[in-house]
Amino acid sequence: MKKLVAIVLVAVVGALLVATPALAATSLNRYEKQVLTLVNKQRVKRGLAKLRLNNKLIRAARAHSKDMGARQYMSHDSPAPNAETWSSRLIRYGYTKRGYRYWKAGENIAYGAGLYSSPYSVVRQWMRSKAHRAVILTGKFRDIGVGAVKTSNGYGSIDGTVWFFTIDLGRRIAR
């Protein structure tokens, strides 16, 4: 009996050690948490499932927001020299299609300064746009990654601090 308990204990500890990286959520900054809360509030208000954080999508969204701020562009696809489509970026960060019978994803981006850099303002603008609202309210989506990155480089005609936002949403169903 002691041998069986020891084997089970070793198996459970081993499983936890292997699973820990997948379970450990990437921590969100204050703005990212607010965007997540506001997006889920919009979904729940309409009877849709809350989105759950996905580390791969978080890393992809955050990297894209950082890249847009650093290279001064506003697009789903990154410009040359390392041009990449938004869906290719999600796959590169591990939100892959391989091994899944169903894969669907969407993305919203934004930037803002001053009062227009608040998560509330950004989500409100997304909800006022038919295309952006459709992404947030896609019923099939279950996963989300949020990236909110601050730059002091300005953007366009804006000097000083600007926030860049990306939300990547998706769903994968195993074979």
Side-chain angles (χ1 to χ4, degrees):
M1 183 68 168
K2 287 182 182 180
K3 194 175 198 178
L4 179 61
V5 171
I7 291 171
V8 169
L9 184 59
V10 168
V12 169
V13 170
L16 287 174
L17 289 174
V18 170
T20 299
L23 296 175
T26 302
S27 63
L28 300 180
N29 67 38
R30 182 172 53 99
Y31 271 27
E32 292 166 341
K33 287 177 187 174
Q34 290 175 22
V35 168
L36 173 64
T37 298
L38 292 165
V39 166
N40 274 332
K41 186 176 181 180
Q42 291 296 325
R43 290 177 59 87
V44 168
K45 188 163 57 170
R46 290 163 178 85
L48 299 171
K50 280 187 176 182
L51 299 168
R52 60 185 175 249
L53 289 172
N54 178 285
N55 288 334
K56 293 171 175 115
L57 292 178
I58 293 168
R59 289 193 305 271
R62 197 175 279 155
H64 190 56
S65 290
K66 184 177 179 180
D67 189 49
M68 287 190 297
R71 296 202 297 151
Q72 298 287 288
Y73 70 95
M74 178 57 48
S75 175
H76 295 283
D77 301 336
S78 59
N82 51 341
E84 181 176 48
T85 66
W86 67 271
S87 59
S88 295
R89 179 176 11 90
L90 299 186
I91 292 168
R92 180 170 56 87
Y93 275 90
Y95 200 77
T96 62
K97 298 176 183 181
R98 180 174 287 145
Y100 295 90
R101 66 178 168 82
Y102 181 86
W103 186 95
K104 183 175 178 117
E107 178 175 87
N108 284 349
I109 58 174
Y111 73 92
L115 294 176
Y116 298 104
S117 69
S118 76
Y120 176 80
S121 177
V122 168
V123 174
R124 185 179 66 217
Q125 291 305 315
W126 283 336
M127 292 305 293
R128 288 180 175 172
S129 157
K130 185 176 180 180
H132 294 96
R133 183 176 57 250
V135 171
I136 290 171
L137 300 180
T138 296
K140 293 185 180 194
F141 289 155
R142 294 293 182 271
D143 303 325
I144 188 170
V146 183
V149 176
K150 179 171 70 170
T151 179
S152 58
N153 300 336
Y155 177 69
S157 63
I158 302 169
D159 291 328
T161 302
V162 176
W163 281 84
F164 288 83
F165 296 86
T166 303
I167 57 171
D168 289 318
L169 301 90
R171 185 168 187 186
R172 301 182 296 181
I173 300 174
R175 293 191 191 278

